[in-house]
Amino acid sequence: MSHGNFMTDFDAFREAMKEAIAFNKSLEMRYRMDASGLYVVKLFDARFLREYRLASWRLVQLVGCCGILVSTDAQIYPNYRRKGWGKVFNKVRQNQAVLMGYGQLMCTVDRKNIAQQKILSDNGWVLRSTMTNPKTSNQIDTFTWHCPS
């Protein structure tokens, strides 16, 4: 499957572009998937010829199950938090899973990450389990989202 145009058809990405342009007319949004499978979204400021990392994430097939896609390493970079980008890129990840033909998207979240917990809960994700990570002692919640057919 091609991952090169993973956001071009998404309403969420188009809305993100509009917000970026409204915020600063010289901004352009760029995205790519690097060699390690990390999706990276950057804002490019044409006035200063600088790029700013906005968000990144990985989508990995669950080992042993070709129907489940795992969202991991998802983050909004600090300067862009609390501006609605988490919701936008959650929708992008959900759309990617659907377009890639998966039946379910899964992720884990540190219990202390209240912002991410709210984004998931508000967007149809279901809390499936809670555990204490034996390596870090962090409380970890596992969420899933059912991909519509």
Side-chain angles (χ1 to χ4, degrees):
M1 258 174 247
S2 170
H3 301 278
N5 294 324
F6 69 93
M7 287 197 271
T8 55
D9 296 327
F10 300 151
D11 291 334
F13 185 66
R14 280 193 280 274
E15 289 304 311
M17 290 281 292
K18 287 178 194 173
E19 286 183 40
I21 291 166
F23 175 73
N24 181 338
K25 300 288 186 213
S26 68
L27 288 179
E28 171 186 324
M29 195 168 290
R30 297 179 173 180
Y31 61 90
R32 67 181 173 77
M33 182 175 75
D34 71 14
S36 73
L38 183 70
Y39 293 93
V40 178
V41 179
K42 296 180 181 181
L43 293 175
F44 177 73
D45 190 331
R47 291 179 303 166
F48 303 107
L49 300 177
R50 293 198 57 187
E51 282 188 330
Y52 305 93
R53 273 190 168 206
L54 173 60
S56 61
W57 64 89
R58 286 183 208 288
L59 295 174
V60 182
Q61 182 174 297
L62 183 66
V63 175
C65 184
C66 63
I68 298 176
L69 189 63
V70 178
S71 174
T72 184
D73 299 330
Q75 64 177 315
I76 302 298
Y77 290 87
N79 290 345
Y80 303 100
R81 291 181 183 157
R82 303 209 178 283
K83 294 177 173 55
W85 294 110
K87 289 182 183 180
V88 169
F89 292 110
N90 173 69
K91 289 290 187 194
V92 169
R93 288 192 313 273
Q94 288 174 320
N95 285 334
Q96 281 181 272
V98 170
L99 289 176
M100 293 166 72
Y102 286 91
Q104 194 167 78
L105 190 55
M106 182 171 82
C107 72
T108 59
V109 180
D110 189 304
R111 173 68 56 87
K112 294 176 190 171
N113 190 342
I114 303 301
Q116 181 67 5
Q117 299 261 352
K118 181 166 175 30
I119 289 168
L120 296 176
S121 296
D122 290 350
N123 288 283
W125 292 74
V126 176
L127 175 62
R128 297 294 180 183
S129 67
T130 299
M131 65 169 267
T132 300
N133 184 328
K135 296 182 179 185
T136 65
S137 299
N138 292 339
Q139 291 291 309
I140 304 296
D141 292 334
T142 302
F143 286 85
T144 61
W145 179 75
H146 176 75
C147 302
S149 311

